[in-house]
Each structure stands twice: as structure tokens, then as C-alpha cells.
Amino acid sequence: MAKQRRRLGEILYKAGLVQKQALIDAIKASKTNKKRLGEILLEKGLIDEENLTKAVAKQFGLDYVNLDAANISPDAGKAIPEDLIKKHNIIPMDMNNGRLKLIVSDPSDLEMMDAIRFRLNTEPQFCLACPTKIRSFIEDSFDQTKKEEDDRLRHSIDATAAELAEAGHELQAETLRAQAAGADDDAPIIRLVNLIIDNAYYMRASDIHVEPMADRVRVRYRVDGVCLERDNIPKNMQAPLVTRFKILSGMDIAERRLPQDGRIKREIGGQDIDFRVSSLPGNHGPSVVLRILRPDAVNIGIQSLGFEQNNYEQFQRIIKRPNGIFLVTGPTGSGKTTTLYAALQELNKPDKKIITAEDPVEYNFPGMNQCQVKDEIDLTFDKILRSMLRQAPNIILVGEIRDGIVADIAIQAALTGHLVFSTLHTNDAPSAITRLIDMGVKPFLVASSIQAIMAQRLVRVICKKCRAVNEEPDPRHMESLRISRQDIEKNPIYKGTGCSQCQNTGYKGRIAIFEMFEMNNEIRELAFSKAPTTELRRAAKASGMKTLMEDGKAKIFKGTTTPDEVVRITQTEGAVVD
């Protein structure tokens, strides 16, 4: 006959661990609340967990194990899966003659014991320990194991990232680290964004394009006017990447439906660099573009713009006139603002008052009064122009003539003794006359106020390190530019073969080509009579104007640029005209 198991209350009372009346009250509470006696005693603080566990071990005839001093074999843990250990709060202690010694927290849990017997297909030796200590031991053990696995994975990722970085793929390396860190750690995303910005700066890029695609995020840098695709970032990193750019630029990260603009100021290479940031919603997520505004980009001086000697002398003469309008034309990104800033810096003397109206003010210059257009408060170009005339300026810069109202005010300013600089979007210089008349400006005002119009484009400069003679230039380009064999014999054509200095493009840096259209009596008469652009161009060429193509050819023969570049810039813009 099996020996009857002693009652827990009896064991505790005889051991002097609980007083009689307290035990009676706890038994009554146990029956009322349908809880175990041990739970009631612990809740009332009548006994601690260790003494209770020792009493339960005595009740069930099991050994008690003090986990603080126990020797747990690491190999024993391999006998039972992790999910079973966590589910039943058990610890495999060691193997003794092929029999597993197992520490449990509840010897009355027969379902747990049967599950273990079934999984092991053997009878383990059960012993008892405090439930709280068992849970703590399990958490510490598996946390340590996870930490070791995480350390091994991190070392592997770091090694792979180091190899990528050494091979010149720094952005891919940082992407790998950021992806491995997950959403819980912002530091890798911060480093990735910083690296994207730093790479663009050191590559001399003018823009950074972060473009979400269906399955990836494409990162492109615009270097010397041409977009270069550098790296692709995994799609799952799109949200934190875009959010980081929005936070840096002061945008609303919750707004995803509307375009937003912002600005980032950052110190790189000892310079304070401004980034103008634009976010545009798209099918696959917001596209983010950063325009890099370098202080040194507009401090290059007039001589470094790319003028041939005759154009340089003509330019210097025109910008030093006391009044009239000087227009610079060309598409977006053709360097118009840089040229006008170079002119203003030449004229920026203590005896001259210069006021500008810009949208936006991209660069700040000491000694000039620069005013920002703010359409949201109705501070428009025309309102700024009217106000600045009351400030008695000598020289006025209007960022862009966008409509007839601004054009009229600028012309009135020029006719009342001010020198006005501005830009206009036309394909070539003579077209600006027709464009102003189309805006509604009276022809006689155009004819009397305009001093000169200069069209310009930017062409890439051949990399000096890998420059070589081009033995076989493209005959189609030679024909387009009207370069003969005799011309090539006198002036060899050069090209860039590609090297590490120029990102294997063959080009490094850009220079402008110009078309200087200066007004004279004949051209003023033609403008007054609304002559077509073709007649204006013919008269300008007769008076010595060199077209964009002709200026480009001069730079080809100097070995500065290539026929491919001049054809790409002049013909695609529709500016090649004879």
C-alpha cells in the first residue's frame, strides 16, 4: 500500500514555520478563494518562498536544490528544447548514469511531468527549486545565449561591412549595419544619412536624389549636371530614411500627402553647408531631393566662369554701366545665379548700394541687402521691387522676371537710373527680346532699357588626370559642330578616359559657354518694330556675337571640353542656330 502524502500545513506547523491560528486562517482563506495554501501564506507574508519550497519538497519526497549554489551542467540543457523549458519553468540540471536530473517548480503539475516523460521517452529524476529563482535563471541563461549569438552575428556583419567599405562601397556598408540594427536603434540610420550627405559633398555633387522605387530606394548624386546612381537601399529602410531627412530639415513627419520644403545646415570639411530639401509624394513613397548650396560655388570670380577674352572684356564693360538692364538667360541649372553673383561681387563696393529680390535667398553676401520673396504673405517680386526703389539703390538684382508686371517695374527702374540684373528662361539670347514683348512689355521700352542679354550653358570639363587625345571623334558630332579634318589637324580633340579622380566619367568640374547679345542701334530698331528672333539673331551675329556653339567649339579646340558635351548641351536645348 502506497504511503500517504503528508499535508503541507502539518509540515509547516511541525517545523515551527507557521503559527497554529495563522495556519487555520490561511486554510479557511484557501478554501474560500480556491487557491493553494502555499499561495495564501505567501500573499499574507507568513512564510518566504524558499521555506515554502523546502516544505513542498519534503511533502512530495523530492530533493530541494538551492539554485544560488547549484552546479548546472551546460550539456544537460541540450536534452530539452527551449520552448519546453520556458513553458513549464524547468531546468535540466545534469545527467547521472544516463538519467536526466530535472529541476521543477511545481511537483503537482502532472501534465507537465507527463509531457516531459513523453518527449524524453524516459523517466527523469525530479527535484524542486524556488519558482522565482528558476524563472530568473532561465531568463539569464537564454539572454546570455542570445547575447552570444547576437555578438557573433554583429561581428560577422561588421566584418562584411568592413570589407564593403574597404572596396569603396561605404554606403552599402552603412546600409548593412543599419538594416541589422533594426528599428529599435536610430544611430545606424543617423550614420547612414550623414554618410549620404558627406559622400555627396566630397563627390562635388550639386544634388542628392533619394527616390523610392517598387522594390528598393535609389540614391543618385548629380555631379557636374549628370545623375550618377551610386547605391540602392533596401525597401524596409525607406520609412526611417525619409523620416530622418524630414526631421533634419524641419518638415512635418506626419504629413505624407503634400509636398514640403525644408533646409539643413551642416558643417562639412570646415565649411558651413546649406542644403535646400524638397519632399514630393509619389506612388512608392515620398521622393526627397537635397540641393547642396556651397559657399565656394559662387565665390569663384568672373575670370573663372569660362569667358573667352573678348566676351570677358565685353561683360566687364556692360556690368559697369550706370543704368539699364542686363539679362542672363538659360534653363534651370545653367549657372545664371552664379554668374550674376559674380558680377555683384565685382561691383560690391562701399560706394554702391545693392538690393536683391530672390526666391529663395540661397547665398548670403556681406554688403548686399537681400530680400526673400514670400508668396504666402503676399510678399511678391513686384511688391519688393516697388519698395526697393524707395531705398535709393544703385544696383538691383531681380532673381527672375516671371511676368509682365515684374518686367515693367524692372524696366522703369532701369530707365530711372538704376542698373538692373535679372534672369529669364529662354533658349538663347535674342529670344529674350521676343519673350519680353510677349509678356506685354511695350517694344519701345524693351529697346530703350535693355543693355545686353547673355545666354549661357554649363559643359563638363575634361578630367586633367586622364585627359588623352581622341583619335576617332564621333563623325556625327563633327558634322553637327562643323568641325573639319583640317580643324582637327590644327587643334587635336581631347577626351577623358576615366579614372578614380573623376568617378570614371572622364569629366571633372564644369565651365560655362556664353552667347553675348549686346544692343546697338540696328538691334534697337528691330526690337522696336517687333522683328522676329531670326532677324535679331542675324543682326547680332553681323555685329560680332558668337553663338553658344561657337563658344563651345573654342573650348573644344583648347582641350577644355569634348564635342559630345557641346552637342549634348547646345542641340538638346535648341540653341544651335546660325
Side-chain angles (χ1 to χ4, degrees), residues 228-293:
L228 302 177
E229 184 171 337
R230 297 293 295 175
D231 285 288
N232 291 302
I233 293 173
K235 187 71 175 175
N236 64 345
M237 291 180 62
Q238 176 178 315
L241 189 69
V242 170
T243 299
R244 179 62 185 166
F245 278 117
K246 285 187 172 182
I247 289 170
L248 282 175
S249 56
M251 296 182 190
D252 181 359
I253 62 172
E255 179 56 73
R256 300 178 182 178
R257 301 165 300 170
L258 298 173
Q260 293 188 73
D261 293 309
R263 207 162 182 127
I264 299 172
K265 185 179 280 290
R266 179 180 169 82
E267 185 178 334
I268 308 176
Q271 281 188 314
D272 286 330
I273 309 296
D274 274 341
F275 297 83
R276 204 172 71 208
V277 188
S278 169
S279 170
L280 180 68
N283 282 343
H284 303 299
S287 169
V288 179
V289 176
L290 288 81
R291 166 65 61 88
I292 303 172
L293 307 174

Side-chain angles (χ1 to χ4, degrees), residues 420-485:
V420 180
F421 293 100
S422 191
T423 68
L424 199 63
H425 287 283
T426 60
N427 280 336
D428 59 359
S431 301
I433 299 288
T434 311
R435 175 84 179 108
L436 287 170
I437 294 171
D438 287 343
M439 281 183 178
V441 181
K442 293 180 174 57
F444 77 90
L445 292 176
V446 174
S448 57
S449 63
I450 301 291
Q451 293 291 343
I453 303 163
M454 186 173 75
Q456 73 175 65
R457 300 290 187 279
L458 295 176
V459 294
R460 290 183 290 175
V461 175
I462 300 170
C463 175
K464 292 179 181 177
K465 188 171 182 182
C466 61
R467 191 179 81 150
V469 174
N470 187 356
E471 301 291 352
E472 296 181 1
D474 190 327
R476 293 171 302 173
H477 294 163
M478 298 299 101
E479 184 179 352
S480 296
L481 297 171
R482 297 175 188 173
I483 298 175
S484 65
R485 278 285 167 195

Side-chain angles (χ1 to χ4, degrees), residues 55 66 112 124 132 234 258 294 314 334 371 379 431 455 475 488 491 573:
N66 181 4
M112 172 269 290
T132 305
L258 298 173
R294 300 166 178 262
Q314 195 175 9
S334 59
C371 191
L379 183 61
S431 301
I488 298 174
N491 304 282
E573 300 296 344

Side-chain angles (χ1 to χ4, degrees), residues 278-519:
S278 169
S279 170
L280 180 68
N283 282 343
H284 303 299
S287 169
V288 179
V289 176
L290 288 81
R291 166 65 61 88
I292 303 172
L293 307 174
R294 300 166 178 262
D296 55 357
V298 290
N299 289 325
I300 60 176
I302 293 175
Q303 285 183 310
S304 302
L305 293 173
F307 284 111
E308 298 300 314
Q309 187 59 35
N310 59 336
N311 277 344
Y312 174 73
E313 292 170 359
Q314 195 175 9
F315 182 81
Q316 285 281 10
R317 188 176 67 252
I318 291 165
I319 66 172
K320 288 174 182 174
R321 289 179 181 173
N323 55 49
I325 294 181
F326 177 56
L327 291 176
V328 181
T329 75
T332 302
S334 59
K336 302 186 297 294
T337 303
T338 301
T339 298
L340 288 178
Y341 275 143
L344 289 181
Q345 284 179 285
E346 180 88 1
L347 302 171
N348 189 14
K349 301 289 191 299
D351 61 332
K352 301 285 185 185
K353 178 159 184 174
I354 301 174
I355 304 181
T356 74
E358 303 171 66
D359 184 19
V361 174
E362 293 185 349
Y363 301 96
N364 294 305
F365 293 95
M368 297 185 201
N369 299 276
Q370 295 174 272
C371 191
Q372 166 84 52
V373 170
K374 294 179 182 176
D375 289 324
E376 64 272 15
I377 59 171
D378 202 29
L379 183 61
T380 56
F381 272 119
D382 55 304
K383 284 195 174 181
I384 294 172
L385 268 172
R386 287 191 180 97
S387 297
M388 70 167 60
L389 289 177
R390 293 192 287 272
Q391 296 277 314
N394 300 106
I395 300 164
I396 294 170
L397 167 67
V398 183
E400 182 185 345
I401 293 179
R402 296 178 177 176
D403 53 45
I405 296 172
V406 175
D408 272 329
I409 300 169
I411 286 172
Q412 292 301 327
L415 293 174
T416 53
H418 302 89
L419 180 60
V420 180
F421 293 100
S422 191
T423 68
L424 199 63
H425 287 283
T426 60
N427 280 336
D428 59 359
S431 301
I433 299 288
T434 311
R435 175 84 179 108
L436 287 170
I437 294 171
D438 287 343
M439 281 183 178
V441 181
K442 293 180 174 57
F444 77 90
L445 292 176
V446 174
S448 57
S449 63
I450 301 291
Q451 293 291 343
I453 303 163
M454 186 173 75
Q456 73 175 65
R457 300 290 187 279
L458 295 176
V459 294
R460 290 183 290 175
V461 175
I462 300 170
C463 175
K464 292 179 181 177
K465 188 171 182 182
C466 61
R467 191 179 81 150
V469 174
N470 187 356
E471 301 291 352
E472 296 181 1
D474 190 327
R476 293 171 302 173
H477 294 163
M478 298 299 101
E479 184 179 352
S480 296
L481 297 171
R482 297 175 188 173
I483 298 175
S484 65
R485 278 285 167 195
Q486 291 75 16
D487 292 330
I488 298 174
E489 288 172 7
K490 294 177 186 175
N491 304 282
I493 305 294
Y494 289 90
K495 66 176 181 178
T497 56
C499 66
S500 59
Q501 292 287 317
C502 60
Q503 313 291 327
N504 292 312
T505 61
Y507 300 97
K508 188 173 181 181
R510 286 189 292 177
I511 201 167
I513 55 174
F514 300 99
E515 181 175 276
M516 185 69 78
F517 176 85
E518 189 172 3
M519 301 290 278

Side-chain angles (χ1 to χ4, degrees), residues 84 110-124 126:
L84 211 61
L110 300 178
E111 183 185 346
M112 172 269 290
M113 291 183 171
D114 286 342
I116 291 170
R117 289 187 185 103
F118 178 77
R119 183 68 69 97
L120 298 177
N121 196 25
T122 185
E123 180 68 32
F126 293 105

Side-chain angles (χ1 to χ4, degrees), residues 108-160:
S108 64
D109 189 348
L110 300 178
E111 183 185 346
M112 172 269 290
M113 291 183 171
D114 286 342
I116 291 170
R117 289 187 185 103
F118 178 77
R119 183 68 69 97
L120 298 177
N121 196 25
T122 185
E123 180 68 32
Q125 178 188 349
F126 293 105
C127 50
L128 206 60
C130 295
T132 305
K133 289 187 177 181
I134 291 176
R135 279 193 296 273
S136 179
F137 183 88
I138 290 171
E139 287 173 4
D140 290 346
S141 298
F142 285 111
D143 283 351
Q144 180 61 29
T145 303
K146 187 176 185 303
K147 183 177 181 301
E148 290 172 358
E149 290 174 355
D150 288 347
D151 285 345
R152 284 195 295 272
L153 179 62
R154 189 171 64 253
H155 288 319
S156 173
I157 289 169
D158 287 345
T160 306

